[in-house]
Amino acid sequence: MATAVLAVQGAFAEHEAKLAELGETCVELRQAADLTQPFDRLVLPGGESTTQGKLLDELGMLEPLRERIAGGMPVLATCAGLILLASRLDAHDDKGTPRLGTMDVLVRRNAYGRQLGSFHTELELAGAGIVPATFIRAPFVMETGAGVQTLATCDGNVVAVRQGNQLGLAFHPELDDSPRIHELFLSL
Ligand code: GLN
C-alpha cells in the first residue's frame, strides 16, 4: 500500500524523499478529501505544531486521523509531529491548540530554548542502532505513560518513544543520511 504524509506545513517533502529511497509509495494529506486515498501508514513531519494542529482541526482531519491511529495504523511523528501526538503538554505550552493526543506522554515544546535549540549529534536508538540526529527547536518528553517505551535519550532527556504502533521522535531523521529510522517505521 502507501504511506500518507501530512503535507499541510513543515518538512514533509524530506520524509517523502526518504521513503521513496526505500521503495515506499507516498500520498500527501493536504485536505480531508485526501483521506480517501488508500494508505496504511502515516508520517507527521516537523514544522510548527500549533499551525499544524489548527489546520488539521479546520480541515476536519483531526478526528479521522485520531481514529485511524487509535485503530493501530503505524505512525512516525517527528518533532512537531511528536507534539501533535502528545496527550499532555507542559503547562506553559498548552494553549489549548487542537492535537491528536493519542500518545500517553508529557512533552515540553522548544525544550532546549528557542535560540540554542538546534544541534546535530548521534545517539543510540533501540531497534535502529547508532543514528545521526538533527534537533531543530526540538521538544523532549518529560513523562511517559505505562505503555510507552523509551527508545533513545540525549543528555538524559527522552527524545524517542514508542507506544505500540506510534513512533515519536524529537529530532529529524528525514534530514540525515541514515535510512534506519524510516526502515524501523516501515517494519512496524
Ligand atoms: N518548535 C516547533 C513546535 O513547537 C517544533 C520544531 C520542529 O518541528 N522542528 O512546534
Side-chain angles (χ1 to χ4, degrees), residues 17-47:
K18 209 79 187 166
L19 289 162
E21 276 172 33
L22 296 172
E24 177 72 359
T25 303
C26 293
V27 298
E28 292 187 343
L29 301 181
R30 295 176 181 274
Q31 53 189 348
D34 296 331
L35 294 168
T36 59
Q37 302 170 92
F39 65 90
D40 55 4
R41 293 172 183 280
L42 175 67
V43 170
L44 301 173

Side-chain angles (χ1 to χ4, degrees), residues 42-140:
L42 175 67
V43 170
L44 301 173
E48 201 51 49
S49 58
T50 46
T51 308
Q52 294 179 358
K54 279 182 197 154
L55 285 170
L56 280 175
D57 189 36
E58 285 166 20
L59 294 165
M61 295 167 81
L62 208 52
E63 199 46 47
L65 288 178
R66 195 180 279 142
E67 275 169 22
R68 294 188 71 154
I69 296 169
M73 189 174 63
V75 49
L76 171 64
T78 59
C79 207
L82 168 64
I83 297 165
L84 285 183
L85 280 192
S87 60
R88 291 162 289 145
L89 294 188
D90 192 36
H92 78 272
D93 289 332
D94 196 354
K95 310 279 190 289
T97 307
R99 292 195 310 281
L100 291 160
T102 51
M103 194 187 247
D104 187 10
V105 288
L106 170 66
V107 166
R108 174 183 286 176
R109 294 179 63 199
N110 301 306
Y112 297 89
R114 282 177 186 277
Q115 301 307 321
L116 300 173
S118 303
F119 57 96
H120 181 81
T121 186
E122 285 192 334
L123 47 83
E124 168 120 42
L125 192 137
I130 307 275
V131 292
T134 298
F135 291 77
I136 302 172
R137 295 181 303 109
F140 60 62

